[in-house]
Amino acid sequence: MTEELESLKESLMAGRLSRREFLGRASALGFGAAAASMMPGLALAADKPIKGGHLKTGFAGGGSADSLDPTLATSDACFLNLRLFGETLVNTSASGQLEYRIAEEASSSDGVTWLFKIRNGVEFHNGKTLTAEDVVETIRRHSDEKSQSIAKGGLSQIDRLSTEGNTVKISLKGANADFPFALSEIPLSIQPNGGKGDPASGIGSGPYKLEGTPQAGVRYQFRKFANYWDPAIGHVEENEVLIINDATARTGALQSGQVHMINLVDPKIVGRLKSAPGISVKNVTGRSHYVFSMRTDTAPFDNEDLRMALKLAIDRDEIVKKVLAGFGSVGNDMPINANYPFFDASIPQRRYDPEQAAAYYKKSGHDGSPIVLHVSDAVFSGATDAAQLFQQSAAKAGIPISVQREPGDGYYTEVWSKKPFFVSLWAGRATQDQVYSLTYLSTAPWNETHLKNAELDRLVLAARSELDPSKRQKLYSDVANLLRDHGGTIAFAFNDFIDAVSNKLGGYNPDPNRALMNLMAPIKCWLPA
């Protein structure tokens, strides 16, 4: 019976039971409330989070070229750091709703002019009070034509920026009912004076201050910011991020207690990890998807027939079964699934068809030389396996693929969107407009396939300003079909986010937006006293 009580305690400490539920079940086992409450470590069981402690995260997705400058943030490791030391105007909640942060409200009467009321009393780590001017300068820096920011695409719709007291006024070039979501991009963390002067200083208004000298691709240390405005966030005293791109080493660090949580758990080891003592596996289905991307401006992928041949030569079902171990679903060469509003379920699912693939390959006139696909397991666990399965299925269509493994360190600066054919991972966004503005418009800052398509641009802009739901759905359906048939993206699977956490961790609640609770686990979870 004591084993059953210990199991209840682990569920309580992991946040799966409330204190009241724990005491009720303990009483049912014959333990009085007082006796149960005296169990070691039960301080974590309080309904309110415990403050203090040193939390360590083992994280895959970082490299030595990572920067603390938000406009240069290119990896999930950069985004995780920004969650710790920075903060955006708004966030996207786990349910897909707008959540106010630096902005305490947003309003518009026509979808063109938006007013964002800035929260009073927010302080930067350097002691300066955050103002509406800081917000405006941050947006201007990210939207500058020379900016490399991931947020640039969503900001391209802005016509004018101004302040009215502590309110930011944003006038758009056209109506967009979803515009506030564009400001939830993690790199849009508000910086003093927009980050001018020293943008990589790590000074923000988030719950944690950068401590010591960061080691890009290795280690980052943070300490609780005493003057942070929101007592509901930032429970531990110290946060440490350890970049561990190797899946085996990352899992080993969790099992040995060196870290409290990890991302990118290999689906093939989920069963084994679930049976490991003191560890819980967390998975959640959302909008994240895996892709093989072809640069449409580079031979041989500037040939649309060759692109279609490759889209038909991949066995998506086999990859979902063997690589994702069922923790996902097949993709349809577009970045949208049923988790998005305005999804068109009538679009036919593309399937493996080696005969049609062979026909398109012959039509393309390709010279028969191996097509090099660049991959790294640092992008997602099993990326190399997925590429090798693609290689095998394509061979049955007479299409030769050579799989080139790349090191995780530097993948996003040396390989991603630079090599002609490469693996990529997208976390997805709250709205379709965000996805298309980020990656698929001709002017998108992260247009990894370098697709330039005037009709797609026209459709996305029309959908953005269309307020009639039925007309808007038709426009987004047209965008999806165009990308599916003419784009450079082989979106072969939508994946679950699979994390693993120590049972000592409290407050963990999976979020479909990104891994590790939309990268907020380090600032929302807590440890035993």
Side-chain angles (χ1 to χ4, degrees):
M1 190 171 294
T2 56
E3 291 181 0
E4 292 175 296
L5 186 61
E6 185 65 30
S7 177
L8 286 178
K9 175 193 159 188
E10 287 190 0
S11 294
L12 177 66
M13 294 174 71
R16 297 190 295 271
L17 289 178
S18 69
R19 181 182 176 86
R20 180 176 297 177
E21 290 171 326
F22 169 81
L23 293 176
R25 296 189 189 184
S27 296
L29 290 173
F31 288 87
S37 296
M38 292 177 65
M39 287 187 68
L42 201 56
L44 183 63
D47 291 333
K48 294 183 178 180
I50 299 300
K51 303 295 183 179
H54 185 161
L55 191 152
K56 296 182 180 182
T57 301
F59 199 79
S64 58
D66 289 345
S67 173
L68 295 180
D69 179 350
T71 67
L72 300 179
T74 58
S75 70
D76 269 4
C78 297
F79 302 153
L80 180 63
N81 288 329
L82 285 169
R83 287 294 199 206
L84 286 157
F85 76 79
E87 193 151 39
T88 52
L89 288 177
V90 295
N91 283 334
T92 301
S93 72
S95 61
Q97 303 302 307
L98 200 67
E99 178 184 80
Y100 293 108
R101 301 307 300 162
I102 298 301
E104 56 184 6
E105 64 178 58
S107 61
S108 176
S109 60
D110 57 6
V112 176
T113 300
W114 286 89
L115 300 177
F116 294 85
K117 184 180 179 182
I118 304 307
R119 192 178 301 277
N120 289 318
V122 177
E123 185 179 318
F124 287 116
H125 301 157
N126 61 2
K128 180 183 181 297
T129 299
L130 188 152
T131 68
E133 283 295 334
D134 294 310
V135 174
V136 167
E137 291 305 317
T138 296
I139 294 174
R140 282 177 176 156
R141 182 165 176 264
H142 282 263
S143 60
D144 184 88
E145 62 179 20
K146 296 181 180 178
S147 170
Q148 302 176 51
S149 173
I150 179 180
K152 184 178 177 181
L155 303 179
S156 64
Q157 55 197 293
I158 296 176
D159 185 36
R160 294 186 306 278
L161 280 168
S162 61
T163 62
E164 297 176 357
N166 211 31
T167 296
V168 173
K169 182 178 180 180
I170 302 178
S171 299
L172 306 181
K173 298 171 185 175
N176 185 351
D178 294 333
F179 174 70
F181 285 101
L183 301 179
S184 69
E185 291 289 353
I186 300 174
L188 279 176
S189 296
I190 310 304
Q191 293 183 282
N193 199 26
K196 293 178 180 177
D198 192 7
S201 64
I203 293 175
S205 62
Y208 290 89
K209 288 182 65 173
L210 185 67
E211 191 171 66
T213 302
Q215 298 172 272
V218 181
R219 182 170 178 256
Y220 303 86
Q221 289 180 283
F222 301 87
R223 184 171 291 275
K224 175 73 174 145
F225 178 43
N227 295 335
Y228 182 61
W229 65 274
D230 186 358
I233 287 179
H235 306 303
V236 299
E237 181 62 26
E238 296 177 82
N239 251 301
E240 187 173 352
V241 177
L242 300 172
I243 303 301
I244 312 175
N245 286 324
D246 181 80
T248 301
R250 193 166 60 254
T251 304
L254 177 66
Q255 291 179 298
S256 66
Q258 296 176 52
V259 299
H260 297 99
M261 55 184 161
I262 61 173
N263 68 327
L264 286 183
V265 173
D266 187 337
K268 296 192 293 294
I269 69 165
V270 167
R272 175 163 55 86
L273 204 54
K274 280 184 175 180
S275 64
I279 291 174
S280 295
V281 176
K282 312 283 189 178
N283 69 286
V284 60
T285 300
R287 308 173 184 92
S288 176
H289 51 285
Y290 297 153
V291 301
F292 293 128
S293 294
M294 302 171 280
R295 281 192 52 164
T296 60
D297 62 345
T298 304
F301 308 106
D302 54 354
N303 184 311
E304 195 168 295
D305 290 323
L306 179 66
R307 299 202 298 267
M308 181 58 72
L310 289 166
K311 291 175 183 179
L312 291 165
I314 186 168
D315 191 335
R316 304 154 200 269
D317 293 286
E318 182 181 38
I319 292 176
V320 169
K321 179 181 179 180
K322 294 182 177 179
V323 179
L324 276 69
F327 289 97
S329 59
V330 294
N332 202 17
D333 298 336
M334 56 189 185
I336 306 301
N337 65 0
N339 287 300
Y340 282 91
F342 307 112
F343 171 72
D344 184 355
S346 70
I347 298 176
Q349 172 63 53
R350 179 162 287 144
R351 297 292 182 184
Y352 177 47
D353 190 334
E355 290 185 4
Q356 281 293 311
Y360 273 101
Y361 181 66
K362 181 178 180 181
K363 184 181 177 183
S364 75
H366 189 256
D367 62 10
S369 61
I371 297 170
V372 180
L373 173 57
H374 300 265
V375 299
S376 172
D377 283 343
V379 178
F380 66 86
S381 295
T384 302
D385 292 340
Q388 290 171 341
L389 287 174
F390 185 15
Q391 179 186 46
Q392 293 167 17
S393 64
K396 296 176 183 177
I399 303 174
I401 292 178
S402 173
V403 177
Q404 176 66 52
R405 299 188 66 170
E406 302 285 355
D409 188 18
Y411 183 84
Y412 284 99
T413 55
E414 304 299 327
V415 178
W416 178 82
S417 198
K418 291 182 173 59
K419 300 295 185 180
F421 195 21
F422 55 94
V423 69
S424 188
L425 158 68
W426 288 98
R429 295 298 187 273
T431 68
Q432 293 198 33
D433 184 62
Q434 280 182 283
V435 174
Y436 295 133
S437 298
L438 174 67
T439 317
Y440 294 98
L441 285 176
S442 298
T443 56
W446 278 17
N447 184 352
E448 64 179 8
T449 64
H450 296 247
L451 179 69
K452 307 292 183 183
N453 188 294
E455 177 62 8
L456 184 145
D457 295 344
R458 184 192 70 78
L459 289 168
V460 171
L461 296 179
R464 174 186 292 170
S465 58
E466 179 56 66
L467 302 182
D468 182 288
S470 60
K471 293 180 180 178
R472 201 175 193 194
Q473 178 156 15
K474 174 61 168 61
L475 288 165
Y476 278 134
S477 178
D478 290 344
V479 174
N481 274 296
L482 191 156
L483 272 179
R484 176 179 178 272
D485 294 336
H486 304 287
T489 298
I490 303 174
F492 58 88
F494 282 83
N495 62 289
D496 285 10
F497 288 118
I498 309 177
D499 305 326
V501 304
S502 165
N503 286 342
K504 294 180 180 179
L505 200 68
Y508 193 99
N509 294 293
D511 186 316
N513 288 297
R514 282 183 184 271
L516 295 179
M517 297 173 57
N518 200 11
L519 301 180
M520 290 186 178
I523 65 176
K524 287 188 173 181
C525 293
W526 61 87
L527 294 169

